[in-house]
Amino acid sequence: MMVVGLDTAKAGKDAPLLVALSASCNVYFTSYFSTWRIMSEATASPAPLMEEALRHFLQKMRRLPDTVVIYRGGVSDSQQEVILEHEMHHPTEGILAAFDRLAEVEGQEPWRSKVSVAYIMVRRSMNIRFMTEEGDNLPSGSYIDEDVIPGLDADNPVRSDFYMISQTYVRGTARPTLYTVLYNTLNFSKMETMQLTYRLCGVYMTFAGKVSTPAPLKYVAKLLSLLSKCNYVPREPTGQLRLWRPNLFFV
């Protein structure tokens, strides 16, 4: 399995878009390959970054993953479908198109038909709060997966939503994270998806405890924060920077 964090950021109002990706490259989800691109908003695509990560996975693991779970930094409800169509389903620049190209180039056509994929939107800027009947914070690992979105079929195999509180809060009010599964061909259940998500919140290497979002997304956020503070950032990793990609997650 490969777990992926994907997000974008802008250093300023008129600055180009930074697209960054971190993808696991071992079976324990403790080592990550990170890369980035600087693109215009009109042409921004995660496909080249995904191809880089899959090639690194193939080189290191001697095989391609059977399952790819992508955690995408959240956008507003009105943008979700547009982002999904462009980043996943675009016929030439989408992630699924990148899978097809990689399978063709690497001679892995049967792999493309067998790999299962999930694309999960992750949002932290939520106003909603949850408490116990006594007014206490919910404990780490609590989740709410029923009636999150009114009118949504709870048994929908593709689109599903759930709130999760992964951190333990000693002070203040716990802030839940909203996860929206927008694309899903996984061969495991919704509960297993939530269990994976919760466990990934506990393998962020620079903090001894649970964090608010899965580790690959935290690594991407850290990389974007670092790049946005630099006076100059190349459009993509080149030269010596290419050698840094397997270690950027631990910077």
Side-chain angles (χ1 to χ4, degrees):
M1 180 185 293
M2 172 192 280
V3 293
V4 179
L6 172 65
D7 208 348
T8 61
K10 294 182 71 174
K13 181 179 179 181
D14 299 321
L17 193 68
L18 269 168
V19 183
L21 177 145
S22 283
S24 65
C25 50
N26 69 2
V27 296
Y28 304 108
F29 310 132
T30 55
S31 180
Y32 288 80
F33 176 89
S34 302
T35 188
W36 75 86
R37 292 289 188 280
I38 296 180
M39 305 177 178
S40 68
E41 290 191 64
T43 61
S45 165
L49 293 80
M50 181 61 72
E51 288 185 55
E52 275 188 49
L54 286 168
R55 284 196 174 95
H56 181 80
F57 190 99
L58 177 61
Q59 180 182 16
K60 186 170 182 180
M61 302 293 288
R62 299 291 186 264
R63 58 167 295 176
L64 288 167
D66 297 318
T67 305
V68 179
V69 180
I70 303 165
Y71 292 95
R72 172 66 160 89
V75 297
S76 64
D77 290 337
S78 61
Q79 294 178 298
Q80 284 184 357
E81 292 300 327
V82 175
I83 294 293
L84 173 66
E85 287 301 315
H86 179 72
E87 293 190 348
M88 285 296 293
H89 299 295
H90 192 282
T92 59
E93 301 301 328
I95 289 173
L96 298 180
F99 284 8
D100 289 331
R101 283 195 299 273
L102 183 74
E104 182 178 351
V105 171
E106 299 291 342
Q108 301 280 343
E109 288 87 347
W111 164 78
R112 173 62 188 94
S113 63
K114 296 176 182 178
V115 63
S116 58
V117 185
Y119 180 89
I120 304 174
M121 200 70 71
V122 184
R123 293 178 61 187
R124 281 284 292 157
S125 301
M126 306 300 299
N127 293 323
I128 195 167
R129 298 290 184 270
F130 299 103
M131 291 186 175
T132 66
E133 292 182 354
E134 292 75 26
D136 298 325
N137 282 325
L138 296 179
S140 171
S142 299
Y143 66 91
I144 295 90
D145 67 334
E146 295 182 4
D147 301 323
V148 174
I149 305 298
L152 183 68
D153 182 4
D155 296 323
N156 188 326
V158 178
R159 167 69 188 262
S160 61
D161 299 75
F162 61 91
Y163 288 100
M164 180 174 290
I165 296 172
S166 53
Q167 290 174 293
T168 298
Y169 285 79
V170 179
R171 297 181 180 179
T173 305
R175 292 180 58 195
T177 301
L178 174 61
Y179 297 88
T180 302
V181 183
L182 293 176
Y183 180 88
N184 184 13
T185 61
L186 299 182
N187 55 7
F188 45 83
S189 67
K190 181 179 179 180
M191 176 56 71
E192 289 172 319
T193 302
M194 291 191 289
Q195 289 174 333
L196 171 67
T197 299
Y198 178 64
R199 289 169 182 173
L200 287 172
C201 293
V203 292
Y204 183 56
M205 297 292 285
T206 56
F207 182 75
K210 292 289 193 299
V211 292
S212 57
T213 57
L217 200 55
K218 292 290 285 186
Y219 292 130
V220 162
K222 184 166 65 170
L223 177 59
L224 286 172
S225 176
L226 173 66
L227 294 175
S228 63
K229 295 173 184 176
C230 296
N231 293 327
Y232 168 74
V233 179
R235 297 191 66 85
E236 62 181 89
T238 56
Q240 287 293 109
L241 291 178
R242 293 181 65 83
L243 303 178
W244 295 4
R245 293 174 299 173
N247 304 313
L248 279 172
F249 80 99
F250 207 63
V251 172

